[in-house]
Amino acid sequence: MRIGDVARRSGVSVRALRYYEEQGLLSPTRSPGGQREYAEDAVDRVRFFQQLYAAGLPSRRIAELLPCVDTGTTTAEQRAMLDAERDRIRKQIDEYTAALARLDEIVVAAADRRV
Amino acid sequence: MRIGDVARRSGVSVRALRYYEEQGLLSPTRSPGGQREYAEDAVDRVRFFQQLYAAGLPSRRIAELLPCVDTGTTTAEQRAMLDAERDRIRKQIDEYTAALARLDEIVVAAADRRV
DNA sequence: GTAGGAGCTACCGTTGACGTCAGGTGCAAG
DNA sequence: CTTGCACCTGACGTCAACGGTAGCTCCTAC
């Protein structure tokens, strides 16, 4: 698969795919002409990246936990990182929930006082 | 209250307070010498900003909904914006939850295969 | 009246995940 | 064999919420 196909199928830009490679998240092979050649699972991997990006993980962290996904094993450091990230995400969810409540308050307070 | 007091009490930097003013979120008066003078409720307002920033609202949105908070009323546009933001936040929470589940999967999968 | 911490404006720097050229190459179709 | 879209490698631009610095002024304490 070439880069444009992966982009269309995964819903990200070509530029993003090159960026992921630059960050060590993807390592496509090259055609004799120098063009990137992606394996079939690249699309799923990209979707996985998007999901983690959406949760606020930076490229570095994603790169660090890719070995865990591929080998199904973890080192002590990786477990610590995973725990820390899970904790961070849980706290983020709490903050989002609190902010949502604040917006709800505003809506409710203004519900019977519309202009 | 001067800017340093507000900073200490609200836990943000002096630089951040000047930035909030630049964005139209705070409008302190000025002393004869040109120094910013903040009302007592400034600290609460700043904490409110922090809460919304944490939920991914940009300064523009916060500035747009400040009138709602201050007057207790909303226009149709403001209600639309509030609904959109609440929707966005709910979706964000879903994405965070999904990502958390993915990380949990990794942890569980590697739980009995530690290195 | 002076020392010096706190404030002031103005401006450049930072970080992350890309967007956006510019200028050149690969490759399948007709 | 040429058209022409897809791809390539740099390299600079973007956006948001500040951080940091320079050079100056204010204000309070002694």
Side-chain angles (χ1 to χ4, degrees), chain A residues 88-101, chain B residues 50-55 89 93:
Chain A
R88 192 188 56 75
I89 294 177
R90 276 190 283 264
K91 282 178 184 165
Q92 275 290 317
I93 292 177
D94 287 346
E95 289 184 20
Y96 271 70
T97 305
L100 190 55
Chain B
Q50 288 293 107
Q51 205 163 24
L52 295 185
Y53 276 131
I89 293 176
I93 292 177

Side-chain angles (χ1 to χ4, degrees), chain B residues 7-78:
Chain B
R8 265 182 302 280
R9 289 219 253 157
S10 60
V12 307
S13 70
V14 166
R15 179 70 180 82
L17 292 175
R18 297 206 187 100
Y19 175 75
Y20 296 161
E21 181 176 359
E22 196 179 313
Q23 300 300 309
L25 302 184
L26 287 175
S27 301
T29 58
R30 296 293 182 127
S31 77
Q35 304 200 345
R36 292 172 177 80
E37 189 61 28
Y38 292 86
E40 283 301 319
D41 67 340
V43 175
D44 286 340
R45 282 178 89 91
V46 169
R47 294 210 181 105
F48 179 59
F49 299 158
Q50 288 293 107
Q51 205 163 24
L52 295 185
Y53 276 131
L57 275 85
S59 301
R60 260 188 70 95
R61 293 279 168 261
I62 302 181
E64 283 171 19
L65 65 78
L66 271 186
C68 311
V69 180
D70 291 340
T71 68
T73 62
T74 55
T75 67
E77 271 184 38
Q78 289 166 338

Side-chain angles (χ1 to χ4, degrees), chain A residues 13-91:
Chain A
S13 70
V14 166
R15 178 68 178 86
L17 293 175
R18 296 206 187 99
Y19 176 75
Y20 297 162
E21 181 176 358
E22 196 180 313
Q23 299 302 308
L25 302 184
L26 287 175
S27 301
T29 58
R30 297 293 181 128
S31 78
Q35 303 201 348
R36 292 170 178 82
E37 190 60 28
Y38 293 86
E40 283 302 318
D41 67 340
V43 175
D44 285 340
R45 281 178 89 90
V46 169
R47 294 210 180 105
F48 179 57
F49 299 158
Q50 288 293 108
Q51 205 164 23
L52 296 185
Y53 276 131
L57 274 86
S59 301
R60 260 187 71 93
R61 292 279 168 260
I62 302 180
E64 283 170 20
L65 64 78
L66 271 186
C68 310
V69 179
D70 291 339
T71 68
T73 61
T74 55
T75 66
E77 271 185 39
Q78 289 167 338
R79 281 195 298 280
M81 189 268 277
L82 279 165
D83 284 346
E85 286 299 336
R86 290 196 296 170
D87 214 57
R88 192 188 56 75
I89 294 177
R90 276 190 283 264
K91 282 178 184 165

